[in-house]
Amino acid sequence: SLFKNTIKGAEQFKNTGGNISGIEALDDYTVTFTLTEPSSIFISLMATTSASIVTKKAIEKNITIGTGPFTYNKKNDTEFAITLLKNNNYHLSDKENKKLPYIDSIAFNYIGDGEDQLSLFKEGKLDVIVEIPPESVTEIVQAQISNFQNNPSKYILGSQTKLRTSFLNLNTSIIPFNNVKIRKAFSLALNKEKIVNNVLKGEAFGPGNNGIVSPAIKNYSYSSVNGHKFNNTEAQKLLAEAGYPQGEGFPQVKLSVRNGITSLRVALEIQKQLLANLNINIEISSLLQKEIMVLNDSSQTEMSLNTRLAEFPDPLSFLSIFYSANVPASNKVSAYPNESRYKNAKFDNLYEQATTTLDEKKRYELCLQADQIIAKDVPIIPLWYHEDYQLIQASVKNYKSNPLSLQHLTHVKIEA
Protein backbone atom coordinates (compact mmCIF):
# COMPACT_ATOMS: atom_id res chain seq x y z
CA SER A 1 0.00 0.00 0.00
CA LEU A 2 2.97 2.34 0.54
CA PHE A 3 4.62 1.84 -2.84
CA LYS A 4 2.04 0.51 -5.29
CA ASN A 5 1.41 3.93 -6.89
CA THR A 6 5.03 5.08 -6.57
CA ILE A 7 7.47 2.53 -8.04
CA LYS A 8 7.24 1.64 -11.72
CA GLY A 9 5.78 -1.83 -12.16
CA ALA A 10 4.51 -2.17 -8.58
CA GLU A 11 0.86 -2.20 -9.62
CA GLN A 12 1.53 -4.89 -12.23
CA PHE A 13 3.49 -6.93 -9.66
CA LYS A 14 0.52 -6.67 -7.28
CA ASN A 15 -1.81 -8.08 -9.93
CA THR A 16 0.34 -10.70 -11.67
CA GLY A 17 3.52 -11.22 -9.61
CA GLY A 18 6.96 -11.64 -11.17
CA ASN A 19 9.59 -8.92 -10.95
CA ILE A 20 9.05 -5.21 -10.28
CA SER A 21 10.42 -3.41 -13.30
CA GLY A 22 11.24 -0.26 -11.32
CA ILE A 23 13.65 -2.02 -8.91
CA GLU A 24 17.08 -3.15 -10.07
CA ALA A 25 20.16 -4.32 -8.19
CA LEU A 26 23.17 -2.95 -10.10
CA ASP A 27 25.70 -4.70 -7.86
CA ASP A 28 26.04 -6.01 -4.31
CA TYR A 29 25.80 -2.52 -2.85
CA THR A 30 23.67 -0.49 -5.26
CA VAL A 31 19.92 -0.64 -5.86
CA THR A 32 18.10 1.72 -8.22
CA PHE A 33 14.43 2.66 -8.14
CA THR A 34 12.48 4.06 -11.09
CA LEU A 35 9.42 6.00 -9.96
CA THR A 36 6.19 6.53 -11.86
CA GLU A 37 6.48 10.27 -11.10
CA PRO A 38 8.37 12.57 -8.73
CA SER A 39 7.64 11.71 -5.09
CA SER A 40 7.99 14.10 -2.18
CA ILE A 41 7.85 11.26 0.34
CA PHE A 42 9.81 8.44 -1.31
CA ILE A 43 12.88 8.84 0.90
CA SER A 44 10.65 8.87 3.98
CA LEU A 45 8.90 5.73 2.76
CA MET A 46 12.26 4.01 2.28
CA ALA A 47 13.13 4.84 5.90
CA THR A 48 10.11 2.97 7.30
CA THR A 49 10.67 -0.40 8.95
CA SER A 50 8.59 -2.17 6.28
CA ALA A 51 10.95 -1.03 3.50
CA SER A 52 14.12 -2.79 4.65
CA ILE A 53 16.19 -4.45 1.91
CA VAL A 54 17.06 -8.03 2.83
CA THR A 55 18.82 -10.90 1.09
CA LYS A 56 16.77 -13.41 -0.86
CA LYS A 57 18.24 -16.20 1.27
CA ALA A 58 16.63 -14.74 4.38
CA ILE A 59 13.20 -14.89 2.75
CA GLU A 60 13.65 -18.39 1.33
CA LYS A 61 14.92 -19.85 4.61
CA ASN A 62 12.65 -17.73 6.83
CA ILE A 63 15.50 -16.36 8.92
CA THR A 64 15.87 -12.94 10.52
CA ILE A 65 18.88 -10.85 9.53
CA GLY A 66 19.94 -7.23 9.80
CA THR A 67 22.74 -4.76 10.44
CA GLY A 68 21.32 -3.14 13.59
CA PRO A 69 22.84 -2.82 17.08
CA PHE A 70 20.98 -5.86 18.45
CA THR A 71 20.31 -9.39 17.19
CA TYR A 72 17.17 -11.51 17.35
CA ASN A 73 16.98 -15.24 17.91
CA LYS A 74 13.63 -16.95 18.30
CA LYS A 75 15.03 -19.33 20.91
CA ASN A 76 15.34 -16.38 23.30
CA ASP A 77 11.58 -15.69 23.12
CA THR A 78 9.37 -16.55 26.05
CA GLU A 79 5.67 -16.24 26.75
CA PHE A 80 6.41 -12.99 28.57
CA ALA A 81 9.15 -11.22 26.59
CA ILE A 82 11.25 -10.85 23.45
CA THR A 83 14.95 -10.48 24.19
CA LEU A 84 17.49 -8.95 21.80
CA LEU A 85 21.22 -9.47 22.29
CA LYS A 86 24.10 -7.14 21.50
CA ASN A 87 25.40 -7.35 17.94
CA ASN A 88 29.15 -7.76 18.43
CA ASN A 89 29.69 -7.00 14.73
CA TYR A 90 27.80 -3.70 14.80
CA HIS A 91 29.51 -1.13 12.56
CA LEU A 92 29.26 2.04 14.71
CA SER A 93 31.44 3.32 17.56
CA ASP A 94 31.06 6.34 19.84
CA LYS A 95 33.26 9.47 19.82
CA GLU A 96 35.79 7.73 22.05
CA ASN A 97 35.97 4.84 19.59
CA LYS A 98 34.11 2.50 21.95
CA LYS A 99 32.02 -0.08 20.12
CA LEU A 100 28.27 0.40 20.23
CA PRO A 101 25.80 -0.55 21.60
CA TYR A 102 26.72 -0.15 25.27
CA ILE A 103 24.24 -2.61 26.77
CA ASP A 104 24.36 -6.39 26.33
CA SER A 105 20.66 -7.12 25.92
CA ILE A 106 17.17 -5.64 25.82
CA ALA A 107 13.97 -7.35 26.94
CA PHE A 108 10.62 -6.15 25.62
CA ASN A 109 8.08 -7.42 28.14
CA TYR A 110 4.45 -8.29 27.54
CA ILE A 111 2.66 -6.62 30.45
CA GLY A 112 -0.88 -5.62 29.58
CA ASP A 113 -2.04 -4.09 32.84
CA GLY A 114 -0.76 -0.64 33.75
CA GLU A 115 -0.76 -1.37 37.48
CA ASP A 116 1.39 -4.48 36.91
CA GLN A 117 3.86 -2.35 34.95
CA LEU A 118 4.07 0.16 37.79
CA SER A 119 4.61 -2.54 40.39
CA LEU A 120 7.47 -4.09 38.43
CA PHE A 121 8.97 -0.66 37.79
CA LYS A 122 8.95 0.23 41.51
CA GLU A 123 10.60 -3.12 42.24
CA GLY A 124 13.36 -2.28 39.76
CA LYS A 125 12.35 -5.07 37.37
CA LEU A 126 11.49 -2.65 34.56
CA ASP A 127 13.79 0.14 33.41
CA VAL A 128 11.35 2.01 31.17
CA ILE A 129 7.58 2.19 30.80
CA VAL A 130 7.06 3.64 27.34
CA GLU A 131 3.40 4.65 27.76
CA ILE A 132 2.00 5.30 31.21
CA PRO A 133 -1.79 4.89 31.47
CA PRO A 134 -3.25 8.44 31.54
CA GLU A 135 -5.09 7.89 34.81
CA SER A 136 -1.82 6.91 36.52
CA VAL A 137 0.44 9.90 35.75
CA THR A 138 -0.79 12.27 38.46
CA GLU A 139 -1.09 9.44 40.96
CA ILE A 140 2.48 8.30 40.29
CA VAL A 141 3.98 11.76 40.73
CA GLN A 142 2.03 12.51 43.91
CA ALA A 143 2.68 9.13 45.49
CA GLN A 144 6.36 9.02 44.51
CA ILE A 145 7.18 12.73 44.74
CA SER A 146 10.30 12.17 46.83
CA ASN A 147 11.70 9.83 44.18
CA PHE A 148 11.41 12.60 41.57
CA GLN A 149 12.72 15.41 43.80
CA ASN A 150 15.78 13.75 45.35
CA ASN A 151 19.14 14.74 43.92
CA PRO A 152 19.94 12.55 42.10
CA SER A 153 16.32 11.53 41.62
CA LYS A 154 15.31 7.88 41.49
CA TYR A 155 12.82 8.23 38.64
CA ILE A 156 12.50 10.40 35.54
CA LEU A 157 9.16 11.32 34.02
CA GLY A 158 9.39 12.20 30.33
CA SER A 159 6.81 13.37 27.81
CA GLN A 160 6.69 13.45 24.02
CA THR A 161 4.16 14.83 21.56
CA LYS A 162 3.40 11.94 19.22
CA LEU A 163 2.66 11.64 15.53
CA ARG A 164 -0.65 10.15 16.53
CA THR A 165 -4.27 11.33 16.44
CA SER A 166 -7.29 9.52 17.89
CA PHE A 167 -10.57 9.98 16.08
CA LEU A 168 -14.05 8.66 15.40
CA ASN A 169 -14.17 7.00 12.00
CA LEU A 170 -17.53 7.49 10.25
CA ASN A 171 -18.56 5.22 7.37
CA THR A 172 -19.60 7.81 4.79
CA SER A 173 -20.91 5.19 2.35
CA ILE A 174 -23.89 4.04 4.44
CA ILE A 175 -26.83 5.49 6.37
CA PRO A 176 -26.74 7.66 8.47
CA PHE A 177 -23.22 9.01 7.87
CA ASN A 178 -23.61 9.40 4.14
CA ASN A 179 -25.28 12.69 5.17
CA VAL A 180 -22.70 15.41 5.86
CA LYS A 181 -25.14 17.31 8.11
CA ILE A 182 -25.33 14.31 10.46
CA ARG A 183 -21.55 13.97 10.48
CA LYS A 184 -21.22 17.67 11.37
CA ALA A 185 -23.94 17.39 14.02
CA PHE A 186 -22.09 14.56 15.73
CA SER A 187 -18.81 16.49 15.60
CA LEU A 188 -20.35 19.67 17.05
CA ALA A 189 -22.19 17.73 19.78
CA LEU A 190 -18.98 16.28 21.21
CA ASN A 191 -17.17 18.27 23.88
CA LYS A 192 -13.63 17.08 23.27
CA GLU A 193 -12.24 19.10 26.16
CA LYS A 194 -14.35 16.97 28.51
CA ILE A 195 -12.91 13.81 26.95
CA VAL A 196 -9.35 15.10 27.46
CA ASN A 197 -9.94 16.44 30.98
CA ASN A 198 -12.39 13.92 32.46
CA VAL A 199 -11.40 10.68 30.74
CA LEU A 200 -7.74 11.16 29.81
CA LYS A 201 -7.07 13.25 32.95
CA GLY A 202 -5.40 15.90 30.81
CA GLU A 203 -2.78 13.50 29.49
CA ALA A 204 -2.93 14.55 25.83
CA PHE A 205 -1.42 17.33 23.77
CA GLY A 206 -4.91 18.74 23.40
CA PRO A 207 -8.44 18.19 22.05
CA GLY A 208 -8.86 17.50 18.34
CA ASN A 209 -10.42 20.84 17.45
CA ASN A 210 -8.42 21.24 14.24
CA GLY A 211 -7.57 18.73 11.49
CA ILE A 212 -6.40 15.14 11.44
CA VAL A 213 -2.67 16.00 11.24
CA SER A 214 -0.71 15.82 14.50
CA PRO A 215 0.91 18.96 15.98
CA ALA A 216 4.18 17.00 16.25
CA ILE A 217 5.09 17.77 12.62
CA LYS A 218 7.53 20.65 12.50
CA ASN A 219 6.67 23.70 10.37
CA TYR A 220 3.13 22.44 9.76
CA SER A 221 0.54 24.98 10.91
CA TYR A 222 -1.99 22.42 12.16
CA SER A 223 -3.78 25.07 14.29
CA SER A 224 -4.74 27.05 11.18
CA VAL A 225 -7.14 24.27 10.18
CA ASN A 226 -10.63 25.16 11.40
CA GLY A 227 -12.29 22.09 12.86
CA HIS A 228 -15.42 21.78 14.98
CA LYS A 229 -15.50 22.97 18.55
CA PHE A 230 -18.41 22.08 20.82
CA ASN A 231 -21.58 23.91 19.74
CA ASN A 232 -24.67 21.97 20.69
CA THR A 233 -27.13 24.57 19.38
CA GLU A 234 -25.68 24.27 15.88
CA ALA A 235 -25.50 20.47 16.25
CA GLN A 236 -29.22 20.21 17.07
CA LYS A 237 -30.06 22.53 14.15
CA LEU A 238 -28.14 20.38 11.68
CA LEU A 239 -29.69 17.18 13.03
CA ALA A 240 -33.18 18.65 12.56
CA GLU A 241 -32.30 19.75 9.01
CA ALA A 242 -31.21 16.17 8.31
CA GLY A 243 -34.69 14.98 9.29
CA TYR A 244 -34.15 13.93 12.91
CA PRO A 245 -35.36 16.74 15.23
CA GLN A 246 -34.36 15.99 18.83
CA GLY A 247 -33.01 12.67 17.56
CA GLU A 248 -36.48 11.34 16.71
CA GLY A 249 -36.38 8.34 14.41
CA PHE A 250 -32.59 8.23 14.28
CA PRO A 251 -31.40 4.74 13.22
CA GLN A 252 -29.52 2.46 15.57
CA VAL A 253 -25.79 3.22 15.40
CA LYS A 254 -23.03 0.99 16.73
CA LEU A 255 -19.66 2.31 17.92
CA SER A 256 -16.92 -0.33 17.68
CA VAL A 257 -14.00 0.16 20.06
CA ARG A 258 -10.84 -1.80 20.75
CA ASN A 259 -10.67 -3.74 24.00
CA GLY A 260 -9.02 -1.64 26.69
CA ILE A 261 -9.94 0.46 29.70
CA THR A 262 -9.12 3.85 28.17
CA SER A 263 -10.90 3.10 24.87
CA LEU A 264 -14.00 1.93 26.68
CA ARG A 265 -14.05 5.00 28.92
CA VAL A 266 -13.77 7.28 25.89
CA ALA A 267 -16.60 5.39 24.20
CA LEU A 268 -18.82 5.69 27.27
CA GLU A 269 -18.18 9.45 27.42
CA ILE A 270 -19.10 9.77 23.72
CA GLN A 271 -22.25 7.74 24.33
CA LYS A 272 -23.15 9.94 27.30
CA GLN A 273 -22.61 13.20 25.40
CA LEU A 274 -24.55 12.16 22.28
CA LEU A 275 -27.50 11.08 24.42
CA ALA A 276 -27.48 14.30 26.44
CA ASN A 277 -26.90 16.65 23.51
CA LEU A 278 -28.67 15.02 20.56
CA ASN A 279 -30.99 12.51 22.27
CA ILE A 280 -29.24 9.74 20.31
CA ASN A 281 -28.33 6.55 22.13
CA ILE A 282 -25.52 4.67 20.41
CA GLU A 283 -24.56 1.05 21.08
CA ILE A 284 -20.98 0.26 22.13
CA SER A 285 -19.27 -2.91 20.93
CA SER A 286 -15.89 -3.77 22.50
CA LEU A 287 -13.81 -5.94 20.15
CA LEU A 288 -10.29 -6.95 19.23
CA GLN A 289 -8.61 -4.62 16.75
CA LYS A 290 -8.55 -7.33 14.06
CA GLU A 291 -12.30 -7.85 14.55
CA ILE A 292 -12.95 -4.14 14.02
CA MET A 293 -10.86 -4.22 10.85
CA VAL A 294 -12.93 -7.14 9.51
CA LEU A 295 -16.15 -5.21 10.19
CA ASN A 296 -14.76 -2.08 8.54
CA ASP A 297 -13.65 -4.11 5.52
CA SER A 298 -17.25 -5.14 4.83
CA SER A 299 -19.00 -1.91 5.98
CA GLN A 300 -20.64 -3.63 8.95
CA THR A 301 -19.94 -0.81 11.37
CA GLU A 302 -21.11 2.79 11.22
CA MET A 303 -18.57 4.21 13.68
CA SER A 304 -15.28 3.03 15.11
CA LEU A 305 -12.78 4.55 17.53
CA ASN A 306 -9.46 4.70 15.68
CA THR A 307 -5.93 6.01 16.15
CA ARG A 308 -3.67 7.04 13.29
CA LEU A 309 0.03 6.60 14.02
CA ALA A 310 2.03 8.17 11.20
CA GLU A 311 4.40 5.89 9.28
CA PHE A 312 6.73 8.84 8.62
CA PRO A 313 6.90 12.47 9.84
CA ASP A 314 4.89 14.19 7.12
CA PRO A 315 1.24 15.36 6.94
CA LEU A 316 0.74 13.10 3.92
CA SER A 317 0.99 10.09 6.22
CA PHE A 318 -2.23 11.28 7.89
CA LEU A 319 -3.98 12.54 4.75
CA SER A 320 -3.33 9.31 2.84
CA ILE A 321 -6.18 7.57 4.68
CA PHE A 322 -8.72 9.72 2.76
CA TYR A 323 -7.42 9.18 -0.79
CA SER A 324 -10.33 7.80 -2.81
CA ALA A 325 -8.17 5.74 -5.19
CA ASN A 326 -8.18 3.16 -2.37
CA VAL A 327 -11.99 2.91 -2.28
CA PRO A 328 -13.45 0.01 -4.31
CA ALA A 329 -16.87 0.10 -5.98
CA SER A 330 -18.29 -2.52 -3.61
CA ASN A 331 -18.90 -1.83 0.07
CA LYS A 332 -18.10 -5.48 0.76
CA VAL A 333 -14.47 -5.07 -0.32
CA SER A 334 -11.80 -3.57 1.94
CA ALA A 335 -11.06 0.13 1.38
CA TYR A 336 -8.09 0.15 3.76
CA PRO A 337 -6.59 2.54 4.69
CA ASN A 338 -9.60 4.71 3.67
CA GLU A 339 -11.94 3.05 6.16
CA SER A 340 -14.37 5.99 6.08
CA ARG A 341 -14.76 5.26 2.32
CA TYR A 342 -14.53 9.00 1.76
CA LYS A 343 -14.52 10.39 -1.78
CA ASN A 344 -13.78 13.99 -2.77
CA ALA A 345 -12.22 14.91 -6.12
CA LYS A 346 -10.88 18.25 -4.87
CA PHE A 347 -9.16 16.54 -1.92
CA ASP A 348 -7.70 13.89 -4.23
CA ASN A 349 -6.29 16.58 -6.52
CA LEU A 350 -4.59 18.42 -3.65
CA TYR A 351 -3.26 15.15 -2.22
CA GLU A 352 -1.82 14.09 -5.58
CA GLN A 353 -0.18 17.49 -6.05
CA ALA A 354 1.36 17.28 -2.58
CA THR A 355 2.81 13.82 -3.21
CA THR A 356 4.77 15.17 -6.21
CA THR A 357 5.72 18.60 -4.78
CA LEU A 358 9.30 18.47 -3.52
CA ASP A 359 9.35 21.96 -1.96
CA GLU A 360 8.31 21.46 1.67
CA LYS A 361 6.66 24.87 2.11
CA LYS A 362 4.51 24.44 -1.00
CA ARG A 363 3.70 20.84 -0.08
CA TYR A 364 2.57 21.86 3.39
CA GLU A 365 0.34 24.59 1.90
CA LEU A 366 -1.34 21.96 -0.26
CA CYS A 367 -1.68 19.64 2.73
CA LEU A 368 -3.29 22.37 4.83
CA GLN A 369 -5.90 22.92 2.10
CA ALA A 370 -6.57 19.18 1.95
CA ASP A 371 -6.68 18.98 5.76
CA GLN A 372 -9.28 21.77 5.79
CA ILE A 373 -11.50 19.87 3.33
CA ILE A 374 -11.47 16.88 5.66
CA ALA A 375 -12.32 19.11 8.62
CA LYS A 376 -15.26 20.56 6.67
CA ASP A 377 -16.62 17.27 5.29
CA VAL A 378 -16.10 15.31 8.55
CA PRO A 379 -15.46 11.74 7.36
CA ILE A 380 -13.77 11.43 10.75
CA ILE A 381 -14.04 13.39 14.00
CA PRO A 382 -10.62 14.15 15.53
CA LEU A 383 -10.87 13.64 19.31
CA TRP A 384 -7.40 14.35 20.67
CA TYR A 385 -3.74 14.66 19.72
CA HIS A 386 -1.43 12.38 21.66
CA GLU A 387 1.28 13.22 24.12
CA ASP A 388 2.65 10.14 25.83
CA TYR A 389 4.47 9.92 29.13
CA GLN A 390 7.40 7.64 29.90
CA LEU A 391 8.65 6.55 33.28
CA ILE A 392 12.40 5.93 33.36
CA GLN A 393 14.76 4.68 36.06
CA ALA A 394 17.41 7.33 36.75
CA SER A 395 20.11 4.71 36.14
CA VAL A 396 19.09 4.62 32.46
CA LYS A 397 21.12 7.17 30.51
CA ASN A 398 20.62 8.52 26.96
CA TYR A 399 17.11 7.13 26.58
CA LYS A 400 15.12 9.36 24.25
CA SER A 401 11.55 9.02 23.08
CA ASN A 402 10.48 10.20 19.62
CA PRO A 403 7.22 11.19 17.89
CA LEU A 404 7.03 7.92 15.91
CA SER A 405 7.31 5.73 19.04
CA LEU A 406 10.39 3.97 17.64
CA GLN A 407 12.95 2.66 20.11
CA HIS A 408 16.48 3.88 19.28
CA LEU A 409 18.60 2.22 21.96
CA THR A 410 22.08 2.19 20.42
CA HIS A 411 23.49 4.81 22.86
CA VAL A 412 21.55 3.80 25.98
CA LYS A 413 23.61 3.04 29.10
CA ILE A 414 22.81 1.63 32.51
CA GLU A 415 24.76 3.37 35.26
CA ALA A 416 24.50 2.80 38.99
Side-chain angles (χ1 to χ4, degrees):
S1 64
L2 290 178
F3 292 99
K4 66 180 181 180
N5 299 316
T6 305
I7 299 175
K8 183 179 178 181
E11 189 66 28
Q12 182 180 0
F13 170 79
K14 176 192 169 193
N15 296 328
T16 62
N19 293 321
I20 301 176
S21 60
I23 303 178
E24 183 181 3
L26 298 185
D27 54 48
D28 286 348
Y29 302 99
T30 310
V31 177
T32 65
F33 295 87
T34 303
L35 307 187
T36 56
E37 58 187 356
S39 173
S40 61
I41 58 174
F42 182 73
I43 296 299
S44 294
L45 291 175
M46 287 301 296
T48 60
T49 54
S50 58
S52 301
I53 297 176
V54 297
T55 178
K56 185 177 180 181
K57 184 187 296 185
I59 303 299
E60 292 174 340
K61 295 190 175 182
N62 193 28
I63 57 175
T64 303
I65 65 165
T67 59
F70 299 95
T71 64
Y72 171 78
N73 191 320
K74 189 175 179 61
K75 70 179 183 181
N76 295 323
D77 290 356
T78 69
E79 181 184 352
F80 307 104
I82 289 177
T83 299
L84 306 181
L85 302 180
K86 179 176 182 175
N87 180 1
N88 292 317
N89 296 317
Y90 188 56
H91 59 286
L92 291 181
S93 301
D94 64 14
K95 293 180 180 179
E96 299 175 354
N97 208 32
K98 186 174 182 179
K99 292 287 290 182
L100 295 171
Y102 295 118
I103 52 182
D104 293 324
S105 64
I106 301 167
F108 293 91
N109 296 274
Y110 301 121
I111 308 169
D113 187 88
E115 292 303 315
D116 290 343
Q117 292 183 41
L118 292 174
S119 296
L120 291 171
F121 183 87
K122 292 172 186 176
E123 294 170 12
K125 296 178 180 178
L126 281 180
D127 295 300
V128 179
I129 301 178
V130 293
E131 294 181 9
I132 307 173
E135 62 272 13
S136 301
V137 175
T138 303
E139 173 191 337
I140 292 167
V141 174
Q142 290 178 346
Q144 305 287 331
I145 190 68
S146 62
N147 290 320
F148 290 100
Q149 291 179 333
N150 289 343
N151 191 16
S153 62
K154 187 176 180 181
Y155 303 150
I156 298 169
L157 183 66
S159 65
Q160 174 73 63
T161 305
K162 296 292 186 178
L163 284 162
R164 187 187 305 174
T165 301
S166 282
F167 58 92
L168 273 182
N169 188 76
L170 308 178
N171 189 338
T172 65
S173 69
I174 60 175
I175 296 172
F177 297 118
N178 58 347
N179 188 328
V180 67
K181 289 186 176 181
I182 291 175
R183 300 199 300 267
K184 288 181 178 179
F186 268 55
S187 184
L188 289 163
L190 291 177
N191 189 329
K192 300 162 190 175
E193 281 82 358
K194 276 190 174 181
I195 294 174
V196 169
N197 295 329
N198 298 348
V199 181
L200 304 178
K201 308 301 181 184
E203 308 310 331
F205 180 87
N209 288 329
N210 303 101
I212 179 67
V213 178
S214 163
I217 295 179
K218 293 180 180 179
N219 303 321
Y220 185 78
S221 181
Y222 88 100
S223 61
S224 67
V225 178
N226 296 315
H228 293 126
K229 294 185 178 180
F230 177 60
N231 186 335
N232 197 43
T233 301
E234 183 65 19
Q236 291 181 355
K237 177 185 174 184
L238 286 167
L239 191 65
E241 290 176 0
Y244 304 100
Q246 300 298 314
E248 294 178 9
F250 197 82
Q252 181 64 56
V253 169
K254 181 183 292 184
L255 170 59
S256 299
V257 300
R258 186 179 63 183
N259 288 338
I261 294 174
T262 300
S263 296
L264 186 56
R265 287 177 178 171
V266 170
L268 289 170
E269 178 64 23
I270 290 170
Q271 183 188 55
K272 176 183 174 182
Q273 290 191 26
L274 291 175
L275 181 60
N277 298 332
L278 296 181
N279 195 33
I280 292 174
N281 188 22
I282 64 170
E283 178 186 344
I284 296 173
S285 180
S286 182
L287 303 165
L288 296 174
Q289 182 63 32
K290 62 181 179 181
E291 293 174 324
I292 295 175
M293 291 181 70
V294 169
L295 291 175
N296 283 336
D297 284 350
S298 54
S299 284
Q300 294 185 60
T301 182
E302 298 87 5
M303 306 169 64
S304 56
L305 183 59
N306 286 17
T307 296
R308 177 62 174 175
L309 174 61
E311 292 154 323
F312 50 91
D314 192 283
L316 287 170
S317 188
F318 289 92
L319 297 173
S320 64
I321 65 174
F322 305 106
Y323 186 44
S324 72
N326 298 313
V327 181
S330 171
N331 267 9
K332 300 303 180 182
V333 178
S334 173
Y336 183 85
N338 189 344
E339 292 183 327
S340 62
R341 298 181 185 267
Y342 175 70
K343 296 180 180 180
N344 183 301
K346 187 175 180 181
F347 171 88
D348 287 349
N349 181 260
L350 289 166
Y351 175 80
E352 288 169 356
Q353 287 185 63
T355 59
T356 58
T357 300
L358 303 184
D359 180 87
E360 183 183 278
K361 183 178 180 181
K362 291 181 180 178
R363 181 168 80 255
Y364 282 13
E365 289 173 357
L366 292 166
C367 288
L368 284 168
Q369 293 178 55
D371 204 355
Q372 185 61 65
I373 290 175
I374 298 302
K376 181 181 178 182
D377 278 359
V378 205
I380 57 98
I381 302 173
L383 296 174
W384 73 91
Y385 308 111
H386 283 246
E387 181 175 72
D388 289 345
Y389 285 77
Q390 309 88 41
L391 199 56
I392 309 161
Q393 302 282 1
S395 58
V396 177
K397 307 299 181 183
N398 303 332
Y399 178 84
K400 295 180 181 179
S401 181
N402 65 78
L404 283 169
S405 298
L406 299 175
Q407 300 294 317
H408 297 298
L409 304 174
T410 306
H411 293 84
V412 169
K413 296 180 179 180
I414 304 292
E415 296 179 353

